[in-house]
Amino acid sequence: NAARLFLPHMQRDADARLELERGLRSALERQDFSLHFQPQVDMDGKLVGAEALLRWSHATLGQVSPATFIPVAEETGLIHAIGAWVIDRSCQHIREWRDLGVDFGGRISINISPWQIAHPHFVSHIAAQVAEAGIEPSALTLELTESALLSDFDAALNTLQQLSAIGFRLALDDFGTGYSSLAYLQKLPLDELKIDRSFIVALQANIAHPLASFVIDVGRRLGMTTIAEGVETAEQKSILRQLGCELMQGYFICRPLPAVEFRRW
């Protein structure tokens, strides 16, 4: 009892989605992905680690944003294979840099999808990966977003407790932009709280900064390290130092770099 119009843009969207999905499968087979690394430093500029950021160069689409291809990877289930690849490559880089005597800060942060956290064998798989690579779990910081906790908090908590017991460092990314309960937060075995870039952009001299200050204070009270992402100016760095933030990353320090350039940096 209705009319439906099939418009040209719907076919274009469907074609683009199919091309992305096919491209992801092909990229996994041909190892077309790469990792870029963004340095993380303390307020005195000392390197403490780096965040590994996935990059994909498609044959016809060019550089595809993770914001575009990660949702497709999650919906198709390819995120598990892609996530395993990221962990393997990160471990390889850690081992290579150590062999060459490169001071990379000692640890690499990796973004973990809610789908990976929800997988029943994720803990055993990642533990096996680092053991095979000869890397101690504490060399990896696993970053998860609040959405990883929402569907089944108890199951996510159990997974995080297992990861923490093995020795992995855990970070909550984009804290303050979602719906995390403070009651939940104090139950999680987290090592780091990451201050969302949207809070950093708003930092200006002579203006109150209740949101950024709140996140930093929560982290301090719960014994977590606070790290600001998206720091782009000396003014933002100065304000963060005054607020008591401990670590930072962003274009003010360095853009994400391919592995060779990061090593040179």
Side-chain angles (χ1 to χ4, degrees):
N1 297 320
R4 295 286 183 265
L5 298 180
F6 187 81
L7 302 177
H9 78 83
M10 299 169 69
Q11 184 62 53
R12 289 195 298 270
D13 291 347
D15 290 343
R17 163 61 189 257
L18 186 59
E19 185 175 12
L20 274 179
E21 184 176 337
R22 287 173 174 167
L24 282 174
R25 296 184 188 279
S26 178
L28 273 171
E29 295 172 1
R30 299 201 311 252
Q31 304 284 295
D32 285 344
F33 296 113
S34 65
L35 290 180
H36 284 203
F37 297 89
Q38 185 168 44
Q40 298 173 331
V41 302
D42 65 16
M43 289 299 156
D44 295 320
K46 180 182 177 183
L47 185 66
V48 298
E51 180 177 1
L53 298 165
L54 185 62
R55 296 291 184 261
W56 176 33
S57 181
H58 190 279
T60 57
L61 299 176
Q63 287 290 336
V64 185
S65 168
T68 300
F69 72 79
I70 290 297
V72 176
E74 291 178 331
E75 291 168 18
T76 57
L78 293 172
I79 191 65
H80 300 293
I82 293 173
W85 182 88
V86 170
I87 294 164
D88 273 337
R89 288 297 296 159
S90 297
C91 288
Q92 288 177 27
H93 284 301
I94 290 173
R95 192 172 61 243
E96 174 188 339
W97 292 334
R98 285 179 175 174
D99 291 343
L100 294 172
V102 177
D103 181 10
F104 62 97
R107 62 176 184 257
I108 298 297
S109 295
I110 299 172
N111 290 286
I112 301 297
S113 164
W115 294 86
Q116 291 172 272
I117 291 291
H119 193 284
H121 302 301
F122 175 67
V123 175
S124 59
H125 286 171
I126 190 173
Q129 282 183 282
V130 295
E132 184 177 351
I135 302 297
E136 68 279 6
S138 59
L140 294 180
T141 300
L142 308 182
E143 295 189 10
L144 58 146
T145 59
E146 296 179 33
S147 58
L149 311 173
L150 294 180
S151 59
D152 189 339
F153 178 82
D154 290 336
L157 174 61
N158 181 55
T159 297
L160 297 183
Q161 287 173 335
Q162 293 182 58
L163 291 168
S164 180
I166 292 171
F168 292 101
R169 290 177 55 83
L170 302 175
L172 186 62
D173 202 1
D174 302 335
F175 176 69
T177 62
Y179 304 98
S180 284
S181 161
L182 289 178
Y184 283 172
L185 186 62
Q186 66 181 355
K187 295 180 181 179
L188 298 171
L190 298 172
D191 301 286
E192 294 180 6
L193 275 187
K194 297 197 77 173
I195 308 172
D196 186 67
R197 183 179 180 276
S198 62
F199 297 160
I200 306 305
V201 171
L203 295 179
Q204 296 180 36
N206 303 318
I207 296 178
H209 313 290
L211 294 178
S213 179
F214 167 74
V215 176
I216 293 168
D217 193 45
V218 167
R220 184 187 300 114
R221 290 175 183 274
L222 294 179
M224 302 174 194
T225 300
T226 51
I227 177 167
E229 56 184 352
V231 179
E232 297 182 353
T233 68
E235 182 181 49
Q236 291 171 350
K237 173 187 173 181
S238 176
I239 294 171
L240 287 165
R241 182 195 287 271
Q242 293 172 19
L243 294 176
C245 185
E246 296 161 278
L247 306 177
M248 61 182 172
Q249 66 183 89
Y251 284 9
F252 179 69
I253 308 302
C254 184
R255 293 171 177 265
L257 300 171
V260 173
E261 292 182 29
F262 172 70
R263 192 175 112 193
R264 189 179 302 123
W265 182 90

